[in-house]
Amino acid sequence: MMTVAQEIKEFTYTPNGVKIEVLSTHDDGEYMMVRSITTGKVFFAHKNQVAEEVKEAEPEPKGAKQRRGRQIVKPEVPAFNRVNINSAPPQLLTQVLKGVGIKTATEIKELQQALPGERFTKLDQLRAIKSVNWDEVLENADVYVE
């Protein structure tokens, strides 16, 4: 039996990195009505603000190997369940951002409280914390600002 790989289209609103679904297109495809997958907010986006990724559906993972001793398991965050960095507690940030411990996550929240409106507006604002290689961390991170 031969299995056919399925393609999955994912859309991202590029100004803040939030995953969206396209509801409709307007003005000959120039604008799109979209919905944030995480918050459910509906808004309009220009076609230049929407990035489309086509991914192949991943096969079912095999069972985990049994190991002796204490295991620390960080849950994987699915793409459709991304985390808003403004509302996430430090403990959740340690699970979502690879290489970020509780001390750095606490620094992130302290930096957030020092910002106007106590909110991040861009992920680039995290670069003020120098102890982390943000290019590597944000490459596959499942966080966004909204």
Side-chain angles (χ1 to χ4, degrees):
M1 181 188 291
M2 188 181 211
T3 59
V4 178
Q6 295 179 345
E7 291 184 347
I8 300 172
K9 289 185 180 182
E10 291 185 354
F11 298 95
T12 304
Y13 183 62
T14 56
N16 60 9
V18 69
K19 293 289 185 185
I20 57 173
E21 66 177 309
V22 176
L23 301 175
S24 61
T25 58
H26 302 272
D27 294 337
D28 296 324
E30 191 74 17
Y31 292 93
M32 299 174 201
M33 180 183 285
V34 297
R35 177 185 306 135
S36 167
I37 292 176
T38 53
T39 63
K41 289 183 181 179
V42 177
F43 57 95
F44 281 95
H46 189 269
K47 68 179 180 181
N48 295 340
Q49 296 174 317
V50 176
E52 178 181 349
E53 296 177 27
V54 178
K55 295 184 176 182
E56 289 187 18
E58 295 179 9
E60 292 288 324
K62 295 181 181 179
K65 293 182 180 180
Q66 295 294 323
R67 294 180 56 183
R68 294 170 129 196
R70 183 175 173 192
Q71 296 179 33
I72 299 175
V73 178
K74 289 188 175 183
E76 291 186 23
V77 180
F80 61 86
N81 196 13
R82 293 168 38 117
V83 177
N84 183 350
I85 202 161
N86 287 319
S87 61
Q91 294 81 6
L92 182 58
L93 292 179
T94 62
Q95 295 174 354
V96 177
L97 299 173
K98 291 185 180 181
V100 172
I102 192 67
K103 181 178 177 184
T104 306
T106 304
E107 285 181 46
I108 291 170
K109 296 315 269 183
E110 288 172 358
L111 174 63
Q112 175 186 341
Q113 292 176 353
L115 294 172
E118 295 185 354
R119 301 189 67 73
F120 289 105
T121 55
K122 297 179 187 172
L123 288 175
D124 286 340
Q125 291 173 312
L126 292 169
R127 296 184 190 279
I129 298 174
K130 302 291 184 193
S131 62
V132 177
N133 180 356
W134 289 108
D135 293 330
E136 184 180 319
V137 171
L138 295 176
E139 181 178 313
N140 293 327
D142 292 314
V143 294
Y144 66 96
V145 292
E146 192 169 289

